[in-house]
């Protein structure tokens, strides 16, 4: 199947990943449609894509559809050959009631999938997360997490976000299997996504880099993540969309694990004087736990203090030919783009 055949629907075109998916699809010659809750945001969508260096021209259509309602989805998917379901709630602070995240994530995914199957879409690629993978068992360098691993979505020890990603993905797979359409779905499980910013929709990973650069952290917490560049995440979505080997499969989109202190060191090395405020000290775990009582962002990750995670991206590399760029370059470009965006 040619990458230039058929219209692709991307949900959440104003988001960080969604914007890069739209931009990369247009760059590859596709006709693209994207959804927003209010069509008044169309100029913002086009500005987002153009910031990625792509002329939207007449190949991008913006339509109104809300993941929280049925209306608009049949029209959004009509005539589309493929769907990238990228949009999903990602709060800066975890809600007290887990259902505030779980219900819209699950029901939104099912709305998109149901409409897509009814419209005859060839393949749906859904953005999930390593959150849906990493809590099923202990992992090590010799036994990393793979696509066979699943988090228990009913485990109330997990954050609402972790549970929402797991439950939404489980619901998606259950639905396509029941419909006899498992080969029409693929899912992508990204790690901590960084890369050039396109608008003010900054993921937690981007916010962490910005906090380092702007000296919002006096010292780095003993936290680490498996980072991945947003452009590589978009590329993997498109590969999963078009490659027959992706039918009915999950794919981990992760690259190198780095501690926040490693990220700080890369910023200082690559940005020079512009990273002069990046902290050089490491904060004691006890202090970070105390600060998390007043900082919702920290509260959602404080349970991961000192924990190193191991993932294998062999499946994406070997089956789909995916090749993520060097993570050090991604971190440097993230810092550069945050500087440029803040001064624009």
């Amino acid at each position: 199947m040619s990458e230039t055949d058929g219209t692709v629907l991307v949900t959440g075109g104003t988001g960080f990943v969604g914007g890069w998916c739209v931009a990369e699809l247009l760059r590859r010659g596709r006709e693209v449609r994207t959804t927003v809750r209010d069509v008044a945001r169309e100029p913002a969508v086009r500005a987002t894509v153009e910031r990625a260096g792509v002329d939207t021209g007449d190949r991008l259509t913006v339509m109104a559809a809300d993941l929280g309602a049925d209306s608009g989805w049949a029209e959004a998917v009509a005539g589309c050959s493929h769907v990238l379901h990228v949009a999903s709630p990602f709060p800066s602070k975890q809600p007290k009631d887990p259902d505030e995240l779980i219900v819209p994530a699950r029901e939104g995914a099912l709305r998109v999938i149901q409409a897509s199957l009814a419209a005859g879409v060839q393949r749906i690629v859904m953005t999930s997360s390593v959150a849906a993978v990493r809590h099923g068992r202990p992992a090590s360098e010799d036994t990393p997490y793979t696509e066979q691993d699943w988090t228990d979505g009913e485990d109330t020890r997990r954050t609402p976000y972790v549970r929402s990603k797991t439950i939404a993905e489980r619901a998606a797979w259950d639905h396509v299997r029941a419909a006899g359409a498992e080969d029409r779905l693929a899912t992508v499980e990204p790690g901590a996504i960084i890369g050039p910013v396109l608008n003010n929709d900054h993921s937690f990973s981007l916010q962490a880099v910005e906090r380092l650069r702007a000296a919002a952290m006096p010292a780095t917490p003993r936290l680490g993540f498996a980072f991945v560049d947003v452009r590589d995440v978009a590329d993997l979505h498109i590969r999963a969309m078009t490659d027959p080997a992706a039918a009915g499969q999950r794919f981990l989109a992760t690259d190198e694990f780095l501690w926040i202190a490693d990220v700080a060191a890369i910023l200082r090395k690559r940005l020079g004087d512009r990273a002069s405020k990046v902290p050089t000290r490491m904060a004691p775990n006890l202090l970070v736990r105390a600060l998390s009582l007043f900082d919702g962002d920290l509260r959602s990750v404080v349970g991961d203090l000192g924990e190193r995670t191991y993932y294998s991206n062999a499946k994406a590399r070997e089956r789909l030919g995916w090749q993520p760029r060097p993570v050090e370059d991604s971190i440097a470009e993230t810092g550069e783009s945050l500087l440029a965006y803040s001064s624009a």
Side-chain angles (χ1 to χ4, degrees):
M1 179 185 298
S2 169
E3 286 195 359
T4 58
D5 292 338
T7 299
V8 182
L9 173 69
V10 180
T11 66
T14 56
F16 186 39
V17 177
W20 275 107
C21 285
V22 170
E24 192 55 35
L25 286 162
L26 290 171
R27 198 189 316 274
R28 300 185 192 195
R30 297 299 295 243
E31 299 281 336
V32 181
R33 191 179 296 166
T34 193
T35 56
V36 291
R37 282 179 291 182
D38 184 347
V39 290
R41 298 197 69 190
E42 179 171 349
V45 173
R46 294 187 180 276
T48 292
V49 176
E50 287 168 2
R51 193 175 182 88
V54 178
D55 182 5
T56 57
D58 60 359
R59 289 186 295 117
L60 175 63
T61 304
V62 180
M63 299 182 67
D66 190 330
L67 290 173
D70 293 332
S71 61
W73 289 108
E75 294 79 6
V77 299
C80 290
S81 59
H82 300 84
V83 170
L84 303 185
H85 176 43
V86 181
S88 185
F90 192 115
S92 60
K93 298 179 181 179
Q94 298 292 325
K96 291 183 179 179
D97 181 358
D99 281 345
E100 289 182 26
L101 270 183
I102 292 170
V103 172
R106 179 186 60 222
E107 300 307 313
L110 291 177
R111 283 189 174 93
V112 173
I113 290 170
Q114 289 166 356
S116 299
L117 294 180
V121 166
Q122 296 169 33
R123 184 168 299 157
I124 308 145
V125 181
M126 175 177 163
T127 313
S128 184
S129 168
V130 293
V133 171
R134 63 168 290 199
H135 297 288
R137 62 173 176 87
S140 67
E141 188 172 4
D142 294 332
T143 58
Y145 292 114
T146 72
E147 291 81 0
Q148 297 300 312
D149 292 300
W150 277 95
T151 296
D152 179 3
E154 302 306 317
D155 186 348
T156 56
R157 294 173 300 172
R158 307 303 171 197
T159 66
Y161 172 74
V162 167
R163 294 181 63 203
S164 75
K165 299 305 289 188
T166 307
I167 290 171
E169 189 185 351
R170 282 285 199 189
W173 284 116
D174 288 346
H175 184 82
V176 294
R177 288 184 187 119
E182 188 174 357
D183 63 344
R184 292 167 66 186
L185 178 66
T187 58
V188 173
E189 336 284 321
I193 305 173
I194 55 174
V197 301
L198 299 179
N199 55 30
N200 60 3
D201 178 46
H202 294 177
S203 67
F204 177 83
S205 314
L206 286 174
Q207 291 172 30
V209 176
E210 176 61 6
R211 282 183 164 202
L212 287 172
R213 187 199 65 79
M217 296 181 186
T220 60
R222 181 68 171 167
L223 285 169
F225 304 95
F227 289 94
V228 64
D229 193 291
V230 65
R231 294 163 293 185
D232 296 325
V233 174
D235 175 62
L236 184 53
H237 276 74
I238 296 170
R239 288 173 185 268
M241 180 185 87
T242 57
D243 196 318
Q249 299 296 318
R250 307 171 84 202
F251 293 95
L252 277 164
T254 59
D255 196 17
E256 188 176 351
F257 178 93
L258 293 174
W259 297 106
I260 292 295
D262 298 326
V263 176
I266 291 168
L267 290 173
R268 290 194 301 271
K269 173 185 172 184
R270 298 287 291 267
L271 300 186
D273 291 344
R274 293 172 298 166
S276 60
K277 296 181 180 180
V278 172
T280 58
R281 296 178 299 166
M282 185 171 291
N285 288 352
L286 185 62
L287 174 60
V288 177
R289 290 192 176 95
L291 291 173
S292 72
L293 298 174
F294 310 98
D295 187 326
D297 288 344
L298 280 178
R299 196 177 307 127
S300 65
V301 295
V302 72
D304 295 329
L305 279 170
E307 183 176 336
R308 185 184 183 95
T309 50
Y310 300 88
Y311 302 96
S312 171
N313 62 18
K315 184 176 178 180
R317 287 179 179 270
E318 294 167 5
R319 294 202 187 185
L320 304 184
W322 185 61
Q323 295 183 327
R325 68 201 70 208
V327 70
E328 183 172 324
D329 291 346
S330 296
I331 289 168
E333 290 184 57
T334 302
E336 294 275 6
S337 71
L338 286 166
L339 281 166
Y341 190 80
S342 63
S343 62

